[in-house]
Amino acid sequence: MKLSEVKNNEEVVITKVLGHGSFRKRINEMGFIKGKTVKVIKSAPFNGPSEYKILNYNISLRKSEAELIEVIPMKEFKQKEEVPFEGVIDRNINQTNSFEKGKEINIALVGNPNCGKTTLYNYISGAKEKVGNYSGVTVDIKKTSFWQNGYKLNFYDLPGTYSLTAYSTEEIYVRKFIYEQIPDIVINVIDASNLERNLFLTTQLIDMDLRVVVALNMFDEVLKQKTKLDHESIARLLGIPFIPTVSSKGKGINALLSKVIEVYEGNDKITRHIHINYGKDLESSISKIRAKIKENKPITDKISSRFMAIKLLEKDKHIIELLSGYTNFDEIKATTEKEIRGIESLENEDSESVITDAKYGFISGALKETMKLKPAPKTRSEKIDQVLTHHLWGFPLFVFMLFIVFFATFKIGAYPMRWIDSGVSALGDLLSKILHDGMFKDLLIDGIISGTGSVLVFLPNILILFFFISLLEGSGYMARAAFIMDKIMHRFGLHGRSFIPLIMGFGCNVPAILATRTLRNKGDRILTMLIIPFMSCSARLPVYILIISAFFKKYQALILIGIYLFGILIAFMTSQILNKTIFRNKETPFVMELPVYRMPTLRNILYHMWDKTHHYLKKIASVILIGVIIIWFLEYFPRETEKSKNYQIQIVQVEIGKNLAESEKDLKIAQLQQEMNADRLTNSYLGRLGKIIEPAMKPLGFDWKMSISLLAGLPAKEIIISTMGVLYQADSDNSINLQNKLKAETFQSGKKAGQKIFNTPSVLAFLIFVLIYFPCIGVIATIKNESGHWGWAFFTVVYTTALAWLAGMVVYQIGMLII
């Protein structure tokens, strides 16, 4: 029967894995091989993917993928002879370096996703890299250096990967780094509570003939499970030192670093070069292919000939490309094809699966000799998932969590927001009294303080939002969110994994686009990149809060959620359109690990929050400040208009007039000054530019000030608020805040003269335009870099802006008919 037919809580044994290509390769490497036991946990909401337990970890598969795995009930399974544990083949190579050792050690950190690799990197380096409990947090190579015991240690944090197969972007990154940079030592970070799956990558590192030190991470969980692991024996067996560590608490790190130096110096007694013995038949085939490869030396100086031979048997396209330039490539190819035919006829199985089976057979045999497992009761994560990913209330709980995030962002953030706002106003008032009237005073108070201060007040909201995002990422719930949402995502042509970058987009679109590298299919990656800009990043949040707080006194949190949900709806509709046209026929399997729940450390959460806060403050001090000064300059000049002298004459006439009381004079003069400022602003360089684009924005209910604010937001969306801070607070009355200014703003001429500019339809149209239109320049540049083509970046600019105009126009016109 098929795995898709098995009921919840039933255990079955795999008899055959069907399918082909990338799905079969990945599913094999993750442990779905003949003879392994699988337990069905449950299905996701909306009859989505199902959760399975294999090799002591949980993984999700869609029904279509589960149908490709044949199984039989446990009671029908007859234990067959396992792949024999052949042990290892020792190589008599002196570990002492033949060259004079330098004082600089290049160390690559390699490990499966969720093994704690980046946490270890952060601890040893003091770095503040993002840490999340799901696949694909590290999407690029990070480097840090420090001195230890007289050596300069250069650490490279490589992307998390399950194997060294040229299957995904991160695997290619890791593999190319290793054979191009040739690190002195590889630290293989392993989740100690899940050795059988993690050691698969270790066997490939051994095949590459690298000097490896294993960081047996999360060792505290092994102790809690009361598992007996003789890590010294397995170290001796593999010729690799195993150092127990708990990277989140810094335990074992010093021992790990000392061992790295000891291995580098050639003084470690355990380290030795070995070959894993894959059995007589495979070893014979490997030897024949190696002999052909070694006839040419250049590439084997960087890449192990044994590793290449094994990869050729696995039909690895990347290795085939690397060898295609060899003079004897035809001989290598012919030998490989002959050996593959022999293996497949002998084993009646695909050669890739035969090698995977051999690796897992070796791992299973090694662990039987060195580890004793106790029957595992239901884990804490499985108990939590009974509630959080339940097929009925899992989705409502997810929506409720999102509501809590936005409600807290809005309500809790309102208090410190008011404090900062008061501080900015007090600073402006103080400088207004101290400084003499003039251009510098106007620039400092009406430009820099008013503009940047209007953005700075929203810092608490950004902090709160990133606190919750960090908490969800670090705990492992993000992977569950992808599990819950896969069915919905799949209906719109998206992969379940796309949900994680999309959620990250609520924080910042740039790292979210980088996170699409975890998607295996190029079409999935580009499609996800194109819809991420519809996820309301934190830069848009201050604009939403400003407008919603000013014009909607009730249901503010619901309106804010509505804006976010509308963005998601636009993203899904766009995805559906693109999937039916540009990205047809790109079906990708949904194979994703569901990591155990872990409480993220306060240190990592604070690091993540500080990183975003620093980025936000840096933007205020650079891009936004420059934008504010430019906007202020365009608004400030020219100082005189054709009507200025008339207004000045009228003001003088009121001052010397005797028919009005002093209070009436002050009121009349204030009115004339306001009219003069309005006239000057309209005829300023900024006003003239606004008048040029105003006709295009009129169908949306926007005046020239709103249009200029949107135009100014192209470099960074926060500049929209700072521009409004300059445009709507140009008079001397600093006690009236920006929100009140917006509510009081009226049309100065035309048929609508005297009417409020900001009414409900125009406010909604403005919010929707901000949500959809041109993402910031950083996003466009990132899309270009990640897609490798300017075309997709240009498409994003045109499509988002045109769609924003159309959506805003429809909302405003319909709103005016209804209201």
Side-chain angles (χ1 to χ4, degrees):
M1 63 177 173
K2 310 293 186 185
L3 183 59
S4 57
E5 300 168 2
V6 182
K7 295 179 181 178
N8 290 351
N9 296 315
E10 286 188 8
E11 283 189 302
V12 290
V13 178
I14 298 171
T15 56
K16 194 172 185 180
V17 178
L18 307 173
H20 55 84
S22 60
F23 166 74
R24 180 166 182 165
K25 187 184 293 288
R26 174 57 71 215
I27 209 76
N28 280 167
E29 289 174 347
M30 296 188 80
F32 283 81
I33 58 175
K34 221 170 17 176
K36 293 295 180 184
T37 302
V38 183
K39 182 179 181 181
V40 184
I41 306 297
K42 63 178 173 302
S43 297
F46 312 114
N47 197 28
S50 293
E51 181 180 352
Y52 302 94
K53 186 165 188 174
I54 186 169
L55 299 183
N56 201 36
Y57 77 102
N58 292 21
I59 191 171
S60 58
L61 299 173
R62 291 190 187 126
K63 185 177 180 181
S64 57
E65 278 106 55
E67 285 177 349
L68 297 175
I69 301 172
E70 293 184 356
V71 296
I72 58 173
M74 284 286 289
K75 59 184 179 182
E76 297 179 16
F77 176 65
K78 294 181 180 178
Q79 186 72 39
K80 295 183 179 180
E81 184 180 349
E82 295 184 4
V83 177
F85 175 55
E86 303 283 353
V88 299
I89 304 169
D90 280 340
R91 300 177 65 208
N92 296 320
I93 296 178
N94 191 350
Q95 290 300 308
T96 304
N97 291 317
S98 58
F99 56 89
E100 187 178 346
K101 293 181 287 295
K103 288 294 183 181
E104 197 167 329
I105 309 176
N106 294 312
I107 304 159
L109 286 175
V110 177
N112 286 191
N114 312 309
C115 68
K117 177 175 55 63
T118 301
T119 305
L120 188 147
Y121 173 82
N122 286 346
Y123 193 93
I124 60 180
S125 65
K128 303 177 180 66
E129 296 303 336
K130 186 176 176 185
V131 175
N133 190 15
Y134 63 90
S135 175
V137 175
T138 308
V139 290
D140 211 337
I141 295 174
K142 308 293 190 304
K143 180 188 176 183
T144 190
S145 300
F146 61 94
W147 288 85
Q148 176 91 7
N149 298 346
Y151 285 95
K152 184 182 180 183
L153 305 182
N154 299 318
F155 275 89
Y156 298 86
D157 182 22
L158 306 185
T161 176
Y162 291 106
S163 76
L164 296 177
T165 302
Y167 170 57
S168 67
T169 306
E170 60 262 37
E171 288 171 353
I172 295 171
Y173 260 62
V174 172
R175 206 161 88 175
K176 284 187 72 175
F177 178 88
I178 288 173
Y179 64 67
E180 287 180 1
Q181 301 299 323
I182 316 178
D184 298 304
I185 303 288
V186 172
I187 293 182
N188 180 200
V189 186
I190 285 179
D191 179 355
S193 63
N194 199 348
L195 279 177
E196 191 166 5
R197 197 220 40 219
N198 279 246
L199 284 172
F200 185 86
L201 176 59
T202 311
T203 64
Q204 294 183 318
L205 294 173
I206 292 171
D207 290 339
M208 292 189 82
D209 280 345
L210 300 168
R211 286 190 294 179
V212 180
V213 176
V214 167
L216 204 56
N217 204 23
M218 305 178 194
F219 198 71
D220 53 340
E221 294 187 14
V222 174
L223 299 176
K224 286 178 186 177
Q225 295 169 2
K226 297 182 179 178
T227 298
K228 292 183 178 179
L229 173 62
D230 187 350
H231 62 85
E232 292 179 354
S233 292
I234 196 170
R236 286 192 294 270
L237 175 67
L238 297 181
I240 297 172
F242 277 61
I243 309 298
T245 61
V246 183
S247 57
S248 60
K249 299 175 182 176
K251 294 182 178 179
I253 305 301
N254 287 333
L256 178 67
L257 297 178
S258 297
K259 184 58 69 174
V260 165
I261 293 171
E262 193 177 340
V263 171
Y264 177 73
E265 291 176 338
N267 296 327
D268 180 58
K269 295 179 181 178
I270 291 176
T271 300
R272 72 187 198 280
H273 279 286
I274 65 159
H275 285 162
I276 293 171
N277 190 344
Y278 293 122
K280 182 180 176 181
D281 297 321
L282 277 177
E283 287 296 336
S284 173
S285 295
I286 293 169
S287 296
K288 290 174 184 175
I289 297 170
R290 280 186 73 195
K292 288 295 179 183
I293 293 172
K294 290 172 75 174
E295 288 178 8
N296 288 270
K297 286 291 182 186
I299 201 167
T300 56
D301 291 340
K302 290 188 173 184
I303 312 175
S304 161
S305 58
R306 180 178 174 84
F307 177 76
M308 286 191 287
I310 292 169
K311 285 298 169 189
L312 285 174
L313 288 173
E314 292 178 342
K315 305 170 187 175
D316 189 291
K317 293 179 181 178
H318 187 62
I319 294 295
I320 293 171
E321 288 175 10
L322 283 175
L323 295 173
S324 60
Y326 267 40
T327 54
N328 68 335
F329 174 69
D330 290 337
E331 292 179 45
I332 295 172
K333 186 179 178 182
T335 303
T336 300
E337 289 173 352
K338 179 183 177 183
E339 294 306 317
I340 287 175
R341 285 195 300 271
I343 290 169
E344 291 183 345
S345 62
L346 182 66
E347 300 289 339
N348 195 27
E349 185 70 270
D350 187 274
S351 61
E352 296 171 79
S353 300
V354 173
I355 291 175
T356 303
D357 288 350
K359 284 182 178 292
Y360 273 111
F362 169 78
I363 293 166
S364 178
L367 290 179
K368 278 182 181 178
E369 292 191 6
T370 57
M371 184 173 70
K372 290 183 180 178
L373 283 171
K374 289 196 172 184
K378 186 172 285 189
T379 65
R380 179 185 61 180
S381 292
E382 289 171 344
K383 291 175 183 177
I384 296 172
D385 274 341
Q386 284 181 326
V387 177
L388 293 185
T389 59
H390 191 272
H391 70 284
L392 290 179
W393 51 76
F395 183 74
L397 282 173
F398 171 62
V399 173
F400 177 71
M401 284 186 187
L402 290 182
F403 175 79
I404 292 295
V405 170
F406 294 127
F407 182 82
T409 299
F410 202 99
K411 287 296 182 183
I412 298 175
Y415 297 102
M417 187 175 116
R418 284 197 293 267
W419 303 335
I420 296 174
D421 189 36
S422 300
V424 171
S425 298
L427 178 61
D429 292 339
L430 177 63
L431 293 175
S432 181
K433 294 173 183 176
I434 295 172
L435 299 175
H436 296 291
D437 290 342
M439 180 177 167
F440 176 74
K441 178 181 176 180
D442 293 339
L443 170 62
L444 188 62
I445 296 173
D446 296 332
I448 295 174
I449 293 177
S450 179
T452 57
S454 58
V455 178
L456 186 63
V457 296
F458 297 101
L459 180 60
N461 305 96
I462 305 298
L463 278 169
I464 293 168
L465 178 65
F466 275 106
F467 169 79
F468 282 107
I469 288 178
S470 300
L471 193 63
L472 294 175
E473 288 176 350
S475 65
Y477 185 73
M478 280 295 197
R480 271 68 181 186
F483 175 71
I484 291 168
M485 292 296 295
D486 178 69
K487 188 69 174 182
I488 296 174
M489 303 285 283
H490 195 49
R491 287 185 183 278
F492 290 96
L494 290 166
H495 193 276
R497 278 180 173 267
S498 298
F499 190 72
I500 291 172
L502 290 177
I503 285 290
M504 289 174 68
F506 289 131
C508 180
N509 288 172
V510 172
I513 292 169
L514 293 174
T516 60
R517 293 180 188 175
T518 60
L519 294 164
R520 316 298 182 190
N521 181 283
K522 186 177 181 181
D524 283 323
R525 285 200 301 275
I526 294 177
L527 178 56
T528 307
M529 282 181 216
L530 296 180
I531 65 172
I532 281 174
F534 298 119
M535 303 296 107
S536 290
C537 64
S538 58
R540 295 183 179 104
L541 182 62
V543 184
Y544 299 153
I545 293 175
L546 171 74
I547 301 298
I548 292 172
S549 299
F551 297 99
F552 301 98
K553 294 301 179 185
K554 293 183 178 179
Y555 313 117
Q556 293 177 340
L558 288 176
I559 292 169
L560 183 62
I561 287 179
I563 293 294
Y564 276 75
L565 290 177
F566 187 72
I568 294 171
L569 178 63
I570 292 292
F572 282 176
M573 289 173 63
T574 298
S575 172
Q576 188 76 295
I577 293 168
L578 296 178
N579 196 55
K580 298 284 186 185
T581 54
I582 301 173
F583 298 102
R584 286 176 293 183
N585 304 319
K586 60 158 193 59
E587 182 73 15
T588 308
F590 182 73
V591 182
M592 190 176 73
E593 181 185 355
L594 297 177
V596 298
Y597 286 102
R598 292 189 175 98
M599 180 57 69
T601 64
L602 181 62
R603 183 175 182 267
N604 285 332
I605 290 176
L606 292 177
Y607 271 162
H608 190 195
M609 290 171 65
W610 166 245
D611 181 53
K612 297 305 174 186
T613 305
H614 178 261
H615 178 73
Y616 190 71
L617 292 173
K618 188 176 179 181
K619 192 186 286 188
I620 291 175
S622 55
V623 177
I624 295 173
L625 179 60
I626 293 169
V628 163
I629 293 172
I630 292 171
I631 294 294
W632 176 87
F633 179 86
L634 293 173
E635 177 271 331
Y636 195 74
F637 295 102
R639 299 300 296 161
E640 300 289 335
T641 71
E642 292 179 0
K643 296 181 180 180
S644 295
K645 289 183 179 179
N646 291 333
Y647 281 117
Q648 289 169 1
I649 292 169
Q650 291 179 54
I651 290 170
V652 171
Q653 288 174 346
V654 172
E655 286 175 342
I656 63 176
K658 298 179 180 179
N659 297 329
L660 297 174
E662 287 299 320
S663 59
E664 290 176 321
K665 282 185 180 182
D666 292 342
L667 186 63
K668 186 68 175 174
I669 290 171
Q671 184 179 350
L672 287 169
Q673 286 177 335
Q674 189 171 3
E675 289 176 7
M676 183 171 67
N677 283 334
D679 174 66
R680 188 195 59 75
L681 188 59
T682 303
N683 290 281
S684 67
Y685 297 130
L686 193 64
R688 293 172 193 176
L689 180 61
K691 291 294 182 182
I692 293 172
I693 64 175
E694 185 178 30
M697 308 304 283
K698 210 168 223 179
L700 288 74
F702 302 168
D703 73 335
W704 70 269
K705 292 183 184 179
M706 297 167 72
S707 304
I708 283 295
S709 298
L710 293 168
L711 186 64
L714 296 183
K717 291 297 173 282
E718 297 96 334
I719 299 180
I720 293 174
I721 294 181
S722 57
T723 303
M724 287 181 161
V726 172
L727 291 177
Y728 294 104
Q729 298 193 52
D731 63 290
S732 59
D733 188 3
N734 289 322
S735 62
I736 301 176
N737 64 29
L738 180 55
Q739 291 179 350
N740 289 336
K741 277 288 187 180
L742 296 178
K743 288 188 282 188
E745 192 72 10
T746 59
F747 289 99
Q748 299 299 312
S749 60
K751 295 180 181 179
K752 295 183 178 180
Q755 295 181 23
K756 298 284 187 186
I757 292 176
F758 288 90
N759 53 31
T760 301
S762 66
V763 166
L764 289 174
F766 188 78
L767 287 171
I768 286 171
F769 196 93
V770 171
L771 164 71
I772 301 174
Y773 90 114
F774 183 98
C776 71
I777 291 171
V779 170
I780 297 301
T782 307
I783 289 175
K784 183 266 174 186
N785 291 335
E786 292 300 303
S787 66
H789 203 285
W790 271 113
W792 293 117
F794 180 72
F795 173 82
T796 302
V797 171
V798 174
Y799 178 73
T800 56
T801 305
L803 184 61
W805 188 92
L806 180 64
M809 186 270 292
V810 170
V811 167
Y812 177 72
Q813 296 297 336
I814 293 176
M816 291 302 290
L817 291 174
I818 296 173
I819 299 176

